[in-house]
Amino acid sequence: MAHNSLFSCNFDEFKKIVTDLGLPQFRARQVWDWVFKKFVFSFDDMTNLSKKDRETLQQEFPKILPPVRKLAKAQDGTIKIVIELHDGNLVEAVAMPDEDSLTFCLSSQVGCPIGCIFCRTGVGGLTRNLTCEEILLQVMMLIRKTGQKPTNIVFMGMGEPFLNRQAVFAAIDALTDPTGLGLATRRITVSTSGVTIGIDALAKRPGEVNLAVSLHSVDNLTRTRLVPINRKYPLEKLRASIAAYCEATGRRVTFEMVLLKGINDQEVDAFNLVNFCEGLVCHINIVRFNRFPGVNLEPAGEENEREFRRILKKAGIAVTVRKSRGSDILAACGQLSGSDNEQEK
Ligand code: SAH
Ligand code: SF4
């Protein structure tokens, strides 16, 4: 019986199918390498397979990639796709073109267990981790949709990447493999809510993968309210891990701050942030809060945001305000949910 796509099985199952079809078992590895290392999506292009074996596989797997379940295009060129996984779960991935870059924003989990109060992904909790192949699948689907390879990859979609380290690190290895896409590690950014064991693990890995930390507040009480995992990895511990990462890699860390009215957008918050940053090589990214249905929080007012930036700049800290990409299609940060009931554009 033909399969929906190569992604309806894992490697062991695929090996069995290959031998059941009467093909030598090493064909399975060859096909897997074409798809997951070289990002080739057609059996016809797998030149080290015999024509006969290619035809047999083509019959068994009429499609390598599954269909896009939903596609939305925003006015700013952002494209969001929803992919249905083999078990029916939905995962979202986003492509953000700019003048001379193309950034893919990837998910690492279905849902997220952290439950930040301002984030749509966290609302339903965690369903499951994604496999390495499911992370790479997002890249392949976006390449097919945009017709281009990405210049940058950010793990800022659904999920906490450092609670799925094995798959995320394996995906980074595949994306940077010189026989495949060959992306430079410094073109890849992992964003974390502050899982310090992940930061420590990243610091020990070879390469120059960038670290972004969703900080939001440098006051433990406020941060725990916003990002509940702060209870487990409080700010003192978090800062120590970040300092060790900067020391080990020589790289600058990015702090993401979603400014919320009356919660973390006051002058005192900015001054405390300056103190926290002292001695760290860092850059602050102010992220405009994207509202979503059912959440009762307000973005900081323009005046507060301006004052916040002014205090940071005056202290010599590099600060940018992140453009909200694709917010009209709920593709912007914190708006990904994996639900299927958004309007298609
Ligand atoms: N779990 C990781 C990565 C995914 S979230 C993390 O938290 O870092 C990616 C970014 O989106 C984080 O910086 C997060 O703080 C931000 N974000 C979440 N919800 C948001 C919202 N409603 N508006 C704006 N940014 C949001
Ligand atoms: Fe999870 Fe990140 Fe959303 Fe927090 S902001 S709930 S860690 S995805």
Side-chain angles (χ1 to χ4, degrees):
M1 195 191 75
H3 293 73
N4 287 341
S5 85
L6 201 59
F7 283 84
S8 51
C9 58
N10 64 28
F11 187 54
D12 285 337
E13 290 159 353
F14 183 60
K15 265 196 308 206
K16 184 165 180 311
I17 295 168
V18 164
T19 44
D20 286 352
L21 287 169
L23 271 54
Q25 204 191 47
F26 66 82
R27 286 279 184 249
R29 168 54 57 196
Q30 287 177 317
V31 170
W32 221 246
D33 282 353
W34 278 110
V35 175
F36 295 106
K37 285 194 172 159
K38 301 197 180 79
F39 297 87
V40 164
F41 319 131
S42 142
F43 290 113
D44 273 347
D45 296 330
M46 300 185 184
T47 46
N48 57 356
L49 273 63
S50 67
K51 188 157 186 292
K52 186 167 159 288
D53 287 359
R54 277 185 262 158
E55 282 168 5
T56 309
L57 286 163
Q58 181 70 52
Q59 271 183 4
E60 188 73 14
F61 296 97
K63 287 197 167 68
I64 289 185
L65 299 181
V68 169
R69 172 78 175 263
K70 203 153 208 140
L71 168 73
K73 287 188 187 153
Q75 274 154 13
D76 62 11
T78 299
I79 295 176
K80 177 176 85 168
I81 55 170
V82 178
I83 308 163
E84 184 170 341
L85 304 175
H86 68 90
D87 56 1
N89 278 308
L90 301 177
V91 74
E92 297 181 345
V94 179
M96 298 172 288
D98 231 321
E99 263 160 42
D100 42 26
S101 70
L102 176 65
T103 303
F104 287 180
C105 176
L106 307 183
S107 297
S108 55
Q109 300 182 309
V110 181
C112 181
I114 308 286
C116 303
I117 61 169
F118 50 81
C119 173
R120 189 166 187 247
T121 305
V123 172
L126 175 72
T127 304
R128 71 168 173 86
N129 276 337
L130 294 176
T131 63
C132 168
E133 285 79 19
E134 287 167 339
I135 294 172
L136 297 176
L137 171 63
Q138 300 169 53
V139 178
M140 293 181 219
M141 303 285 276
L142 287 174
I143 290 177
R144 194 177 63 174
K145 226 43 276 154
T146 58
Q148 278 176 284
K149 292 181 178 176
T151 55
N152 300 72
I153 299 269
V154 294
F155 284 90
M156 290 188 187
M158 297 162 67
E160 168 49 56
F162 284 156
L163 291 182
N164 186 16
R165 293 187 292 286
Q166 209 187 351
V168 167
F169 289 161
I172 291 174
D173 288 341
L175 292 165
T176 52
D177 188 324
T179 66
L181 282 189
L183 284 180
T185 46
R186 69 196 143 71
R187 294 291 192 159
I188 299 179
T189 301
V190 179
S191 175
T192 180
S193 58
V195 177
T196 60
I197 36 170
I199 299 175
D200 301 343
L202 187 66
K204 289 203 189 88
R205 279 174 55 87
E208 304 175 302
V209 172
N210 298 296
L211 173 68
V213 177
S214 300
L215 193 59
H216 309 310
S217 171
V218 293
D219 168 69
N220 270 319
L221 265 180
T222 309
R223 189 163 195 274
T224 299
R225 177 178 164 209
L226 298 173
V227 186
I229 204 163
N230 189 66
R231 222 173 268 123
K232 184 164 181 193
Y233 303 112
L235 284 158
E236 302 68 36
K237 200 171 163 146
L238 179 58
R239 196 184 181 288
S241 280
I242 294 166
Y245 163 88
C246 293
E247 175 81 27
T249 61
R251 295 202 71 71
R252 179 173 85 157
V253 65
T254 298
F255 290 131
E256 287 158 297
M257 302 287 297
V258 173
L259 292 188
L260 298 164
K261 193 177 204 158
I263 297 180
N264 60 355
D265 65 339
Q266 306 295 304
E267 276 181 34
V268 61
D269 299 306
F271 283 119
N272 289 339
L273 179 57
V274 170
N275 276 345
F276 184 89
C277 292
E278 218 170 82
L280 292 175
V281 189
C282 64
H283 161 252
I284 308 260
N285 203 349
I286 293 181
V287 183
R288 297 233 162 95
F289 172 56
N290 295 309
R291 286 201 185 90
F292 54 92
V295 71
N296 201 7
L297 296 162
E298 295 276 322
E302 270 178 40
E303 185 49 45
N304 286 55
E305 187 188 286
R306 208 173 306 123
E307 185 58 15
F308 206 94
R309 281 164 56 191
R310 196 189 61 76
I311 293 169
L312 297 177
K313 274 198 187 143
K314 195 150 178 262
I317 299 174
V319 47
T320 47
V321 178
R322 183 155 79 213
K323 280 192 278 181
S324 185
R325 300 291 310 253
S327 52
D328 50 330
I329 53 165
L330 290 179
C333 294
Q335 294 186 310
L336 303 181
S337 75
S339 75
D340 194 27
N341 51 13
E342 290 147 17
Q343 236 197 322
E344 190 155 7
K345 301 227 169 172

